[in-house]
Every structure is written in C-alpha cells, then in structure tokens.
Amino acid sequence: MGRATVLVVDDERKIRDMVRAFLERQRYAVLQAGTGQEALDVALRLKPDLVVLDLMLPDLAGEEVARSLREISQVPIIMLTAKAGEADRVAGLQLGADDYVVKPFSPRELVARVDAVLRRARPGGTEGRLSFDGGRLVIDPSGREVRLDGAQVALTRSEFDLLAALATTAGRVFSRRELVARVHGYDYEGYERTADVHVKNLRAKLHDDPRAPRWVVTVPGVGYKVGARPDA
C-alpha cells in the first residue's frame, strides 16, 4: 500500500508548511491549499485520504468546505481552528468532522490524531457481516459498508464506528464515554454532547424516528444500544 495522502487547508502559509514538515517526517504525502475553493478543487482531482481543514478561510467558510466535501466524499476531516467553544466543536461534528483540533496546537499531537483517524478508517478486520430485522439493516465491518433495505447508507467514519460498536454486541448498553472512546480513541472533551451528535446524525441517515427509534435506542441515564434483534 502506498503512502497516505493528507490535504492541509489553511490560509497561513507558515502553518501549512509546519504541518507539512511534521507529516512528511511520518512518511505522509502532503497536498496544500490556501483557500476553500482550492481545497475543493484539489480534493476532487487528487482524492486525498484525509483533510486537515482550517475553518477561517478567506473565500469560503471552512464549514461550507466541509459540507461540500461531505456531498462528494466520505474522506476523514480533522478541523483545525481557533474556535474553542463547545458549540463550535458540536457544529463541526454535525457537519461530519472526525476530529477537532484547536489553535494553538502541538504539531506532534496533530500528527498523532491523523495517525489515529486513518488507522480507524482503514478497511480491515475479520468480523463477519451483521444483520438485523430479517436483513433490513446489514453492517459489513470489514468493508465498512452499511445497507438499509438494500440501499447503501453513506456514513462518516465516526458514524460507522459508533454503529459498529453497538451492533457487534447487540443488546449491550454503551455509555456515552465508551462510545466516544470507541470512535475517537481517547478521552474526548465534551464526550456526552459528542456521542449525542453522532447518534443524531446516524439516526437521520438510517431514517430512525428519534421519538421511537428502532436501530439506535436511548437508555435513559446510561447511553445507547441497538434496538433491533440480530438475525440468527
């Protein structure tokens, strides 16, 4: 397998060059973009394996870039921004971001997060397909594919990992902290809101009525579980 390619999007050249230097030390191939439109053009032409995306860009808001990327790709996105508030992090996750790094940041930590996101995004594993409700919902952990009523469901990496965690031990209740650890791989600040945002997005894509969910059920005071019974 060749080197993974990371697209670094930031309007400050010094930051782009610093991140590029640290990523290249870890043998990543690095693409750069200084504007939102340039980032979309590069992503469409060269299809990077991950995007590090600043939210404060001169032409398009980073949120708009993330939204456009999500319309054409499920490429993992790490948002890089000076916006440190919980509401900002939640908004980023709602757009489908896989991680959120606040400026000023440690380049080594950013590289570690790139490593972690790409490691979890790679196909692999030997788990068999998981089927629920007579085959209505089928989850393929090895191929990282989900089908509902025969149609493929486009999930972000975080949404897939959360659903797979619930489905592999169907019936078990996972706390929000456990789910965030499964999805992000570390103790993530604001974990309760993070888990809730992922579940909200997941329910929307699975056409799961939040008032009477079938696939992802809330267990009050504890967390979440899969509501449907697995097929034999």
Side-chain angles (χ1 to χ4, degrees):
M1 181 182 294
R3 293 189 298 169
T5 300
V6 179
L7 170 59
V8 179
V9 186
D10 198 295
D11 63 331
E12 295 187 45
R13 185 175 184 84
K14 288 183 178 179
I15 291 179
R16 295 201 310 270
D17 289 344
M18 176 184 64
V19 173
R20 175 180 56 79
F22 275 83
L23 287 170
E24 287 181 343
R25 288 178 195 172
Q26 298 302 313
R27 302 185 63 80
Y28 286 107
V30 179
L31 305 170
Q32 297 188 54
T35 68
Q37 188 58 57
E38 183 182 5
L40 292 174
D41 292 343
V42 171
L44 184 62
R45 288 189 296 107
L46 301 179
K47 296 180 172 53
D49 298 294
L50 182 143
V51 178
V52 175
L53 175 63
D54 182 28
L55 295 188
M56 304 294 287
L57 297 171
D59 55 342
L60 302 174
E63 292 88 348
E64 184 177 346
V65 175
R67 191 176 295 109
S68 296
L69 284 172
R70 278 289 164 263
E71 291 176 354
I72 62 173
S73 170
Q74 294 304 312
V75 61
I77 299 172
I78 297 178
M79 289 186 170
L80 186 63
T81 177
K83 298 180 179 180
E86 181 187 24
D88 296 311
R89 293 196 302 273
V90 169
L93 293 168
Q94 287 175 330
L95 289 173
D98 295 278
D99 207 343
Y100 198 102
V101 177
V102 177
K103 296 179 179 179
F105 62 93
S106 160
R108 290 184 177 86
E109 180 186 357
L110 176 60
V111 172
R113 301 227 183 167
V114 169
D115 290 341
V117 169
L118 284 174
R119 186 167 56 248
R120 293 192 296 272
R122 280 189 200 104
T126 58
E127 303 96 333
R129 292 192 176 194
L130 305 167
S131 178
F132 296 85
D133 199 10
R136 284 197 61 206
L137 178 66
V138 178
I139 303 165
D140 179 2
S142 295
R144 299 186 68 83
E145 183 177 279
V146 174
R147 290 187 176 274
L148 178 63
D149 294 328
Q152 186 168 347
V153 182
L155 300 181
T156 67
R157 181 201 60 79
S158 298
E159 292 159 2
F160 181 90
D161 287 348
L162 186 147
L163 180 60
L166 294 172
T168 50
T169 51
R172 178 190 163 185
V173 180
F174 282 81
S175 71
R176 290 171 171 83
R177 185 182 292 276
E178 286 180 302
L179 286 174
V180 171
R182 291 288 190 100
V183 170
H184 292 286
Y186 51 86
D187 191 10
Y188 198 80
E189 184 179 359
Y191 64 90
E192 289 196 5
R193 291 291 302 277
T194 300
D196 292 342
V197 168
H198 289 322
V199 167
K200 179 180 178 181
N201 292 343
L202 188 55
R203 282 174 171 166
K205 292 182 178 181
L206 294 176
H207 308 296
D208 213 4
D209 184 351
R211 294 168 297 182
R214 175 161 187 74
W215 307 120
V216 183
V217 175
T218 303
V219 179
V222 184
Y224 298 100
K225 70 175 183 178
V226 169
R229 294 178 62 86
D231 298 332

